[in-house]
C-alpha cells in the first residue's frame, strides 16, 4: 500500500513539474508533442507504484492536458472535434502505456523473485551432498522457507511419543492452539498440502521421502502466487530428502560409535587379560606356596617369594595407572603441565618407580654432557620412561642389562631404552604402539607402549622402535628442551 501511494505522489509530482515547464511553450509546440511529453509522469507513476498509481496519473494527466493545452486554455471546455479525438487518444494510449509498464514491472519483479527462489532452493539442494549436522539443516530449512515464500513464520514438527513437537522455527512461532490443532492426538482432521490454508492462517506441508513421513512443515501465511505454491511442493521434497539423509548419517555415526565402543571394550579386556595374567599368576603361586609350605621354606626362599609378590604388585599398580591414564585420554581431559627439569631427574624418578623389578637385571644410564635442560610434563614423561623400562624388563633375559641413553643428535635430544631381548620384527615396529595390538607369536603388546606414544605425541615429539646391533630392541623418543616453546 505504501508503495502505491509513493507511486501516486511520484506521478502527480512529475506531472506538475512537466506541465509547469510546458505551459510557456504551448503556443509553439504542437498538441501531440505536449501529449507525448505527458507520457513520462504516467510511466514514472507506474514504475514506482504499480498500475493503480499509473491510472491515477492518467486521470490527472487527462485533466491537465485538457485544462492547459487544449484551446480555450484555462477551462475544461473542448471547442472542436479534433481536440476531442486528441484527448481520447491521449487517455487510451496512456492507459495502454500504464498497463504495459505495470506488466513489465510485475514480470521483472517475478523474475527477480524467481532468481531468489532458485538461489535458496540451490542452497537446500546443496545440503543433500553436504555433511551438515541435523540441527544446522533444520535451521536452514525453516529460514529458507520463510525467506523464499514470504510468510510470517515457518516451523518444522516431528511426531515423538504420539505428539507433534517443534524441532526448529523461524519468525512468528506456533502457539499452543496451533500445535493442538495440528496434533493428530487431538482428533481434529488436518489437511496437509501446499494448496490448503486453514482458518488459522496455517499451511501444513508433509515432508515425505521413500514413502515415509520425515517431518511436517507449518507455514504461517500464504505464498503470494500459484507459482510459489508449486515451488513449495518441490521445496518440501528436497527438504525431506536432505533431512532424511542427515538423520541416516547421524544414525550411522551413532552405530559406528557403538561399534567402536564395543571394539574398545573387547580390546580392553584382551589387553588387560594379556597384561595381568603373568603378575597375577606369579602372585598366586608365590602366596600359595607361602601359605601351604611356609614352615618348610628356607629364609632365602621365603624372602624371594615375598620379593616376587612385591615386584608383581608394583607391576599391577603401574598397569592400573596406565588404565586410569587411558580413561583420561578417552575423556579428552589430558592436560600438560610443563616444567623445566633434567634428563637425570627423569631417569632417577623412573628407576625409583621400577626399583623392585630389577632383581638380577642391571640398569646402565648414560647421559651426554651436552644434553640441555628439558621442558616437559614431568609426571607424564616419567610414566613414559617407566613403561619403556617395564617393557624392557619383561622382554629381556633374567640376568640382562637395560641401557638408558640420552644424547644430542643435531638439534634433537633423543632418549633411548635398549634391552637384550628377542627384538621386534621390522613389520611389527609400528604396530606395537597401536592400542590393544595382539600378535599370534606372543610379541610385545598391551597398554604401556600405547600410553607412551600418546604422552610423547602430546608433547609434539615422536617415538619409534628399532633394532639394537647384536640383538634386542631399542625404543627411542625425542624430548623438548627448555629453549623450545
Amino acid at each position: 500500500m505504501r508503495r502505491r501511494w509513493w507511486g501516486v505522489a511520484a506521478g502527480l509530482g512529475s506531472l506538475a513539474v512537466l506541465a509547469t515547464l510546458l505551459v510557456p511553450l504551448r503556443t509553439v509546440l504542437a498538441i501531440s508533442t505536449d501529449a507525448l511529453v505527458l507520457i513520462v509522469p504516467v510511466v514514472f507513476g507506474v514504475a514506482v507504484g504499480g498500475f493503480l498509481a499509473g491510472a491515477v496519473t492518467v486521470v490527472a494527466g487527462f485533466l491537465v492536458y485538457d485544462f492547459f493545452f487544449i484551446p480555450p486554455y484555462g477551462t475544461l471546455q473542448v471547442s472542436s472535434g479534433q481536440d476531442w479525438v486528441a484527448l481520447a487518444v491521449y487517455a487510451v494510449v496512456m492507459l495502454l502505456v500504464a498497463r504495459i509498464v505495470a506488466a513489465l514491472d510485475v514480470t521483472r519483479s517475478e523474475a527477480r523473485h524467481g532468481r531468489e527462489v532458485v538461489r535458496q532452493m540451490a542452497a537446500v539442494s546443496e545440503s543433500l551432498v553436504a555433511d551438515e549436522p541435523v540441527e544446522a539443516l533444520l535451521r536452514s530449512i525453516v529460514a529458507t522457507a520463510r525467506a523464499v515464500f514470504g510468510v510470517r513464520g515457518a516451523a518444522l514438527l516431528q511426531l515423538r511419543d504420539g505428539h507433534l513437537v517443534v524441532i526448529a522455527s523461524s519468525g512468528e512461532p506456533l502457539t499452543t492452539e496451533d500445535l493442538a490443532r495440528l496434533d493428530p492426538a487431538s482428533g481434529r482432521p488436518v489437511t496437509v498440502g501446499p494448496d490448503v490454508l486453514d482458518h488459522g492462517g496455517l499451511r501444513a506441508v508433509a515432508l515425505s521421502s521413500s514413502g515415509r513421513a520425515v517431518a511436517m512443515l507449518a507455514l504461517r501465511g500464504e505464498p503470494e502466487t500459484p507459482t510459489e505454491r508449486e515451488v513449495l511442493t518441490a521445496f518440501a521434497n528436497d527438504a525431506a530428502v536432505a533431512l532424511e539423509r542427515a538423520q541416516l548419517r547421524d544414525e550411522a555415526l551413532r552405530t559406528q560409535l557403538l561399534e567402536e565402543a564395543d571394539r574398545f571394550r573387547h580390546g580392553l579386556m584382551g589387553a588387560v587379560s594379556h597384561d595381568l595374567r603373568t603378575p597375577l599368576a606369579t602372585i598366586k603361586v608365590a602366596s600359595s606356596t607361602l601359605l601351604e609350605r611356609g614352615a618348610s621354606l628356607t629364609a632365602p626362599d621365603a624372602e624371594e617369594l615375598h620379593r616376587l609378590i612385591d615386584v608383581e604388585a608394583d607391576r599391577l599398580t603401574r598397569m592400573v595407572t596406565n588404565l586410569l591414564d587411558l580413561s583420561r585420554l578417552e575423556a579428552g581431559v589430558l592436560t600438560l603441565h610443563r616444567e623445566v627439569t633434567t634428563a637425570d631427574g627423569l631417569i632417577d624418578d623412573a628407576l625409583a618407580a621400577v626399583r623392585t623389578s630389577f632383581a638380577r637385571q642391571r640398569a646402565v644410564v648414560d647421559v651426554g654432557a651436552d644434553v640441555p635442560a628439558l621442558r616437559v610434563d614431568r609426571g607424564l614423561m616419567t610414566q613414559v620412561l617407566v613403561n619403556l623400562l617395564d617393557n624392557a624388563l619383561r622382554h629381556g633375559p633374567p640376568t640382562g642389562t637395560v641401557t638408558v641413553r640420552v644424547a644430542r643428535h643435531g638439534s634433537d635430544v633423543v632418549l633411548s631404552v635398549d634391552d637384550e631381548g628377542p627384538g621386534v620384527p621390522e613389520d611389527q615396529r609400528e604396530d606395537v604402539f597401536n592400542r590393544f595390538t595382539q600378535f599370534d607369536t606372543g610379541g610385545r603388546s598391551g597398554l604401556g607402549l600405547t600410553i607412551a606414544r600418546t604422552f610423547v605425541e602430546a608433547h609434539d615429539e615422536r617415538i619409534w622402535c628399532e633394532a639394537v646391533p647384536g640383538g634386542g630392541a631399542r625404543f627411542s623418543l625425542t624430548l623438548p628442551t627448555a629453549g623450545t616453546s
Side-chain angles (χ1 to χ4, degrees):
M1 180 65 69
R2 181 176 299 179
R3 176 174 176 263
R4 185 177 301 165
W5 285 114
W6 276 111
V8 171
L12 296 181
S14 60
L15 179 63
V17 171
L18 288 178
T20 302
L21 295 176
L22 289 175
V23 165
L25 303 174
R26 60 188 175 185
T27 57
V28 179
L29 299 176
I31 293 178
S32 57
T33 303
D34 297 329
L36 290 175
V37 173
L38 294 180
I39 291 176
V40 175
V42 176
V43 175
F44 196 27
V46 173
V48 175
F51 177 74
L52 289 179
V56 171
T57 308
V58 168
V59 173
F62 179 88
L63 296 175
V64 168
Y65 186 49
D66 184 10
F67 191 83
F68 291 104
F69 301 101
I70 299 294
Y73 303 130
T75 68
L76 296 177
Q77 182 180 355
V78 180
S79 58
S80 68
Q82 183 178 356
D83 293 336
W84 276 111
V85 171
L87 283 171
V89 169
Y90 173 82
V92 172
V93 170
M94 290 305 97
L95 286 173
L96 290 175
V97 167
R99 174 56 68 185
I100 293 172
V101 172
L104 290 175
D105 185 60
V106 169
T107 302
R108 184 168 57 252
S109 177
E110 289 181 349
R112 185 166 54 249
H113 184 71
R115 287 193 298 269
E116 179 64 17
V117 169
V118 170
R119 187 185 69 79
Q120 298 281 4
M121 292 290 289
V124 174
S125 298
E126 286 176 2
S127 345
L128 296 175
V129 295
D131 289 332
E132 194 174 36
V134 173
E135 292 76 11
L137 180 61
L138 295 175
R139 292 193 298 269
S140 175
I141 290 175
V142 292
T144 301
R146 184 182 174 212
V148 169
F149 303 110
V151 293
R152 301 192 305 276
L156 273 175
L157 304 97
Q158 276 188 336
L159 195 62
R160 295 179 181 175
D161 298 327
H163 295 278
L164 284 176
V165 177
V166 177
I167 56 176
S169 65
S170 176
E172 188 176 326
L174 295 180
T175 64
T176 304
E177 183 183 350
D178 295 331
L179 289 174
R181 186 164 60 252
L182 294 173
D183 199 323
S186 66
R188 303 178 186 178
V190 177
T191 305
V192 178
D195 297 323
V196 179
L197 191 70
D198 72 6
H199 65 276
L202 283 178
R203 183 181 304 277
V205 183
L207 305 187
S208 302
S209 179
S210 305
R212 181 175 68 93
V214 177
M216 177 187 289
L217 177 64
L219 303 178
R220 184 179 296 283
E222 184 176 6
E224 297 178 356
T225 65
T227 302
E228 286 184 348
R229 289 192 285 274
E230 294 176 1
V231 173
L232 178 57
T233 302
F235 175 84
N237 292 335
D238 285 351
V241 173
L243 185 56
E244 182 186 45
R245 182 178 181 273
Q247 290 173 340
L248 291 175
R249 184 177 62 249
D250 278 9
E251 290 175 6
L253 180 60
R254 283 193 294 270
T255 302
Q256 182 181 353
L257 290 175
L258 289 175
E259 291 176 352
E260 179 67 18
D262 189 60
R263 188 194 71 80
F264 175 81
R265 184 172 61 254
H266 283 84
L268 178 62
M269 293 301 297
V272 169
S273 62
H274 176 275
D275 281 359
L276 297 184
R277 187 180 297 115
T278 299
L280 284 175
T282 302
I283 292 173
K284 175 61 178 175
V285 170
S287 61
S288 297
T289 302
L290 287 171
L291 285 172
E292 297 170 3
R293 301 170 50 194
S296 62
L297 292 175
T298 64
D301 288 342
E303 182 180 355
E304 175 66 16
L305 291 175
H306 283 106
R307 192 194 65 80
L308 281 175
I309 292 174
D310 186 49
V311 168
E312 298 304 328
D314 286 342
R315 179 170 293 173
L316 285 175
T317 300
R318 291 194 294 273
M319 291 179 187
V320 172
T321 301
N322 279 336
L323 288 172
L324 292 175
D325 290 337
L326 184 63
S327 67
R328 291 170 61 200
L329 294 174
E330 293 299 321
V333 294
L334 177 63
T335 304
L336 296 185
H337 300 284
R338 296 177 186 261
E339 58 182 292
V340 177
T341 186
T342 63
D344 291 298
L346 283 179
I347 296 172
D348 289 344
D349 290 347
L351 288 175
V354 296
R355 171 184 51 80
T356 56
S357 298
F358 280 95
R360 289 171 292 175
Q361 292 165 305
R362 188 169 63 97
V364 175
V365 178
D366 179 15
V367 179
D370 60 343
V371 173
L374 308 174
R375 187 171 180 270
V376 298
D377 185 310
R378 186 161 182 161
L380 297 185
M381 200 55 76
T382 298
Q383 186 63 38
V384 170
L385 189 50
V386 166
N387 288 353
L388 296 181
L389 289 171
D390 186 65
N391 177 73
L393 290 171
R394 285 192 292 120
H395 294 283
T399 57
T401 299
V402 176
T403 304
V404 181
R405 290 189 180 88
V406 184
R408 293 201 69 134
H409 292 273
S411 59
D412 293 330
V413 174
V414 178
L415 181 149
S416 60
V417 177
D418 297 0
D419 63 48
E420 296 177 344
V424 181
E426 187 174 356
D427 60 343
Q428 295 179 6
R429 290 175 187 169
E430 179 62 28
D431 292 336
V432 293
F433 295 105
N434 292 335
R435 183 183 301 168
F436 313 138
T437 297
Q438 299 288 338
F439 299 112
D440 295 336
T441 57
R444 306 174 194 234
S445 60
L447 299 176
L449 294 178
T450 299
I451 296 290
R453 182 175 69 172
T454 303
F455 286 177
V456 169
E457 291 179 348
H459 285 79
D460 295 323
E461 301 297 333
R462 53 195 177 90
I463 184 172
W464 66 95
C465 175
E466 55 190 346
V468 176
R474 172 178 294 160
F475 287 84
S476 302
L477 60 110
T478 58
L479 293 168
T481 63
T484 60
S485 58

